[in-house]
Amino acid sequence: MYGLVHRAVQCFAQDTYGGPLWDKVVETARLGSPEFEAMLSYPDEELDDVLEALSQALGKTQEQVCEDIGAYLVTHARMNSVRRLLRFGGASYFDFVMSLDELHDRVRLALPELDLPRLEVSPHSNERFVILVDADRPHFGSVLLGLMRAMADDYGALAILELRAANRDDANMKLVHVELFDSAFSSGREFDLVSEVAVP
Amino acid sequence: MNARSDFTKPRPKGGAPIPSQALNMLMPMHALVSSTGHIKSVGPTLAKLRPGATLVGRRFLEMFEVKRPIHVFTYADLLCQRPGLMRLQFRDADQMALRGVFVPLPERLDHPPVLRNGMDHPAQDMLVNLSLGTNVLEAVQRYNLTSADFAPSDPTVDMLYLMEAKSIALEESKRLNARLEGARIVAEEQAFSDTLTGLQNRRGLEATLERLIGAEAPFALMHLDLDFFKQVNDTYGHGAGDQVLRHVAGILLDEVRAGDLVARIGGDEFVLVFSRCVDLSILEGIAWRIIARLEEPIAYEEHICKISASLGTTLSIYYEQPNAERMLGDADLALYESKNLGRACHTVFRPHNNKPTK
């Protein structure tokens, strides 16, 4: 898997908890190098080791850590490019949620080697949605949960989200239940189609 | 087919066959042009490109210069063209370029024929659908366009997404390359070996000398300079030069024992360190053997390269307190003497009279 993911976890740990905690994780996970490069490839097992070490070091479950990572991807200044690319999905939170089944293909367009799980959006009404996460790896559902909660704030929407198991036999399959109360509860953050970076 | 006599076909009442609301949704950057060449309506996004201006009522060719099809100066010229690609630009302000497609619409039966160039022509509106093309970044930023300004069928927003994503990936790759390059340079500087020949470099040499001097071990230092090497490079190129250097390295390594050191300290400069050997008869033997072997012709592709070497040697026992820099300098003096004596020879440094003897 692309180092992008490993690098994001590293930045999350360093930015949220500081260098020393990351050093501890590097040691516990027995990593070859303390730095991950976004554009290189690393084995998936290393990611598992890092998440395990991180969860130990923080005294939180891996699910909780992954949820925090999801939120970090949207809220932290360093990850602004991720937040922007997600906002391209729709003009409103409703549109964004409805576009999640395209996310896999959109990401593929940009980074062919980054293999995100497929998402299936089922609207039950204008306010209720269920997103099926069919992942090969555990905890992606938790990342999505944290990410979608943060995106609701970003859009200024008021929503309640919950993560549930989809299938008793497959722990990697999850459902994210979304209840959207108010699309325009607050103004949210600004988003321009063209960022300052693109055309300085 | 004569629409006049075909009463089964629906006749457009006026304007485009599509209601303007639908037109605006399908083609937010359309322009509907009347049979006289005046703009009848524009899509909301096209209007956004000229905020504060009224496009409706103006002559199409007054607002826009048509680049393709070519030779379109009047509306009549445009009507003579086959429908298809249109490239145009605004005549005013930023002269923004647009591309699109133009299609004359069915003859308007509710309108009298239009007089053009002294002849009657059937009244025909024209529909032009435009897009931003490669100017998209500039246009979106300048006119504050949002995703709502593009039809859902328009891939412009996807294109912007893709441009941004690829640009980020490219930046990240550039940064990685810079880091790798930096690391490579540091690694090379810190290495003890010479990348071309695999011999030790100056750093490696200095480290070894420091070690030997520190251990107070006797050793000999032989400085070797290739003769006629520059000519090889000049005549046959650097590929030949590199080959010769590798060949020389092989010979030198062969002539020393395990535990001795061969270093390349300059373009064609080498230093040999014989640890715990200060026997001049042995050292002289080695030196002359090296010269003889180096003088054997070296093949490179279809060429033959011929070189030789000048050598200068000093021994650590000549010094009360051996010093690497001084010894290298003295070996250099002896080497210089070899060159003066006509090259292809070996000189031993004699400390007491400062004048080396062959």
Side-chain angles (χ1 to χ4, degrees), chain A residues 85-160:
Chain A
L85 295 180
L86 288 169
R87 285 280 311 234
F88 268 99
S92 70
Y93 190 63
F94 175 86
D95 292 331
F96 166 72
V97 175
M98 292 302 284
S99 79
L100 284 175
D101 40 22
E102 285 181 339
L103 188 67
H104 172 270
D105 290 342
R106 288 175 145 263
V107 170
R108 198 89 169 276
L109 206 59
L111 291 170
E113 280 92 6
L114 185 60
D115 202 16
L116 291 188
R118 283 195 185 272
L119 305 175
E120 242 176 71
V121 183
S122 312
H124 288 180
S125 72
N126 271 352
E127 292 87 34
R128 288 196 141 89
F129 314 83
V130 177
I131 297 140
L132 173 69
V133 182
D134 192 0
D136 292 328
R137 318 178 38 77
H139 311 311
F140 189 77
S142 302
V143 175
L144 188 65
L145 181 69
L147 187 144
M148 287 185 68
R149 281 196 179 132
M151 284 303 279
D153 286 342
D154 204 84
Y155 277 98
L158 185 63
I160 296 227

Side-chain angles (χ1 to χ4, degrees), chain A residues 4 7 36-40 80-82 84-86 88 90-91 102-103 106-112 191-200, chain B residues 136-141 144-148 150 156-162 164-177 179-180:
Chain A
L4 200 63
R7 176 96 191 145
F36 281 118
E37 287 288 344
M39 292 286 128
L40 295 177
N80 191 44
S81 47
V82 176
R84 277 191 57 81
L85 295 180
L86 288 169
F88 268 99
E102 285 181 339
L103 188 67
R106 288 175 145 263
V107 170
R108 198 89 169 276
L109 206 59
L111 291 170
F191 171 72
D192 299 317
L193 281 182
V194 174
S195 73
E196 290 293 301
V197 180
V199 184
Chain B
V136 60
L137 274 184
E138 210 184 302
V140 167
Q141 235 208 5
N144 285 318
L145 303 180
T146 71
S147 52
F150 301 98
T156 297
V157 175
D158 286 324
M159 193 166 124
L160 291 172
Y161 161 80
L162 191 63
E164 190 164 321
K166 289 291 189 187
S167 149
I168 292 167
L170 186 67
E171 279 311 305
E172 198 53 49
S173 283
K174 282 190 196 167
R175 277 197 278 266
L176 174 62
N177 281 342
R179 280 194 287 274
L180 290 175

